């Protein structure tokens, strides 16, 4: 499948991936991340049950402590 | 431009947290002429805060929201400041920032940043949230940036985490606070639409 991650087109093996699997494969390493799939915010407790597939647009930004 | 800036007088902006980001961002918005600020924090001013937060030595020991309200009014006597001395959880965020067009996320801890982003997205899809992420240390001017995900803007370098080796230092903290304040002005003065589908990436 081909998806867009942070404005870059990437090819992944398989037809679907959970948000959790995708983040692991994309090396998003910090514990807290804002994730949107096709513009909708995905909460942390939804990472296992929301799946992305061909053509989806994923945006992920690390949240870093400090203020 | 003068008539545009008149719009700021009728604008209400929320400031969630009154530390390094919140106190500096609120001060920039007050100077620019924002008419009403809703500020919230549970903490008191300490001497250690003076390395980057917009307080003064004679305010040590006072509630941050009270001290900040006083400083904002010293700069702009016409500003309306609504000060909330409390811990912000999801319920408080919904109650306190109800009337704000834009909410500035100015917490320290990343889990609190995520909490307010999720809460605002869920309860207030028509409001904007302008968050800070990655501001520790010094240098790296050109790594500071702003990214938009619909109604969410994130300002900072997205990678420098505060630690003993990488403390939050005044210039970079204030720079990110100023990016946040500048983004608030663009949202208000250019009437940005929160539900715009296409997001902007700068690379």
């Amino acid at each position: 499948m081909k998806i867009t991650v942070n404005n870059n087109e990437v090819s992944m093996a398989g037809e679907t991936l959970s948000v959790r699997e995708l983040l692991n494969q994309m090396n998003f390493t910090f514990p807290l991340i804002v994730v949107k799939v096709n513009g909708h915010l995905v909460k942390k407790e939804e990472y296992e049950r929301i799946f992305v597939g061909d053509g989806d647009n994923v945006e992920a930004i690390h949240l870093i402590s400090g203020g | 431009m003068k008539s545009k800036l008149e719009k700021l007088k009728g604008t209400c902006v929320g400031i969630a947290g009154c530390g390094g980001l919140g106190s500096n961002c609120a001060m920039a918005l007050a100077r620019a002429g924002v008419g009403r600020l809703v500020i919230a924090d549970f903490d008191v001013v300490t001497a250690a805060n003076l390395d980057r937060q917009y307080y003064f030595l004679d305010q040590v020991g006072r509630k941050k929201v009270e001290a900040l309200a006083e400083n904002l009014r010293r700069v702009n006597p016409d500003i309306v400041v609504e000060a909330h001395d409390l811990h912000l959880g999801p319920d408080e965020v919904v109650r306190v920032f109800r009337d704000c067009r834009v909410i500035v996320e100015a917490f320290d801890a990343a889990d609190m940043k995520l909490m307010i982003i999720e809460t605002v997205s869920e309860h207030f899809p028509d409001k904007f949230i302008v968050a800070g992420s990655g501001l520790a240390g010094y240098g790296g001017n050109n790594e500071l940036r702003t990214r938009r995900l619909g109604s969410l803007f994130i300002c900072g370098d997205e990678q420098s985490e505060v630690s003993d080796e990488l403390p939050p230092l005044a210039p970079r903290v204030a720079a990110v606070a100023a990016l946040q304040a500048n983004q608030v002005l663009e949202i208000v003065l250019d009437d940005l639409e929160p539900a715009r589908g296409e997001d902007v990436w700068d690379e």
Side-chain angles (χ1 to χ4, degrees):
Chain A
M1 64 172 179
K2 279 186 179 165
I3 57 175
T4 304
V5 180
N6 292 350
N7 226 26
N8 298 312
E9 194 172 277
V10 291
S11 294
M12 311 289 290
E15 289 188 5
T16 60
L17 280 176
S18 71
V19 170
R20 171 77 68 199
E21 291 166 330
L22 178 71
L23 292 176
N24 289 345
Q25 291 193 22
M26 298 293 294
N27 281 328
F28 278 87
T29 49
F30 282 86
L32 292 168
I33 304 167
V34 178
V35 183
K36 286 195 175 189
V37 176
N38 300 331
H40 297 286
L41 188 84
V42 179
K43 289 185 168 188
K44 200 169 183 172
E45 63 261 28
E46 298 171 330
Y47 285 0
E48 275 79 22
R49 56 190 154 94
I50 292 199
F51 288 80
V52 296
D54 205 48
D56 281 342
N57 180 27
V58 180
E59 295 162 301
I61 294 183
H62 281 137
L63 289 178
I64 313 288
S65 283
Chain B
M1 191 63 193
K2 200 177 172 187
S3 64
K4 251 191 161 182
L5 290 174
E6 283 289 308
K7 259 162 96 171
L8 294 176
K9 280 190 193 167
T11 299
C12 178
V13 177
I15 307 286
C18 299
L21 289 177
S23 62
N24 285 294
C25 185
M27 196 56 82
L29 293 172
R31 290 189 198 276
V34 168
R36 187 172 164 212
L37 291 177
V38 177
I39 63 174
D41 199 299
F42 66 90
D43 216 351
V44 296
V45 180
T46 68
N49 295 152
L50 301 183
D51 66 354
R52 66 189 189 283
Q53 304 185 17
Y54 214 120
Y55 301 103
F56 300 92
L57 195 54
D58 60 9
Q59 293 178 319
V60 167
R62 293 183 56 196
K63 287 287 182 186
K64 282 187 177 175
V65 288
E66 286 172 21
L68 182 57
E70 181 180 286
N71 296 342
L72 295 168
R73 291 187 192 112
R74 284 180 70 184
V75 166
N76 177 356
D78 296 327
I79 197 168
V80 177
V81 183
E82 192 184 311
H84 295 272
D85 172 26
L86 46 70
H87 259 285
L88 286 168
D91 293 344
E92 292 76 21
V93 167
V94 171
R95 178 162 55 85
V96 163
F97 298 121
R98 182 169 291 146
D99 295 337
C100 301
R101 167 105 194 275
V102 187
I103 299 163
V104 174
E105 177 285 309
F107 292 128
D108 184 19
D111 60 342
M112 291 290 284
K113 293 175 187 287
L114 189 60
M115 179 279 292
I116 194 168
I117 289 168
E118 289 186 348
T119 303
V120 172
S121 299
E122 186 173 340
H123 292 270
F124 299 125
D126 293 339
K127 294 189 194 304
F128 285 93
I129 181 156
V130 181
S133 179
L135 46 72
Y138 59 89
N141 277 353
N142 294 343
E143 277 143 41
L144 298 177
R145 61 187 170 188
T146 301
R147 297 219 241 198
R148 178 175 185 180
L149 282 69
S151 59
L152 167 67
F153 289 85
I154 296 188
C155 306
D157 65 20
E158 297 169 28
Q159 57 182 17
S160 64
E161 188 157 34
V162 168
S163 66
D164 288 345
E165 281 71 44
L166 212 59
L169 297 173
R172 228 156 173 265
V173 174
V176 172
L179 286 179
Q180 290 180 289
N182 195 35
Q183 190 58 61
V184 172
L185 296 195
E186 187 184 7
I187 289 166
V188 173
L189 297 179
D190 290 351
D191 286 317
L192 299 192
E193 295 286 337
R196 197 192 59 167
E198 195 180 318
D199 297 324
V200 167
W201 290 80
D202 57 7
E203 55 186 16

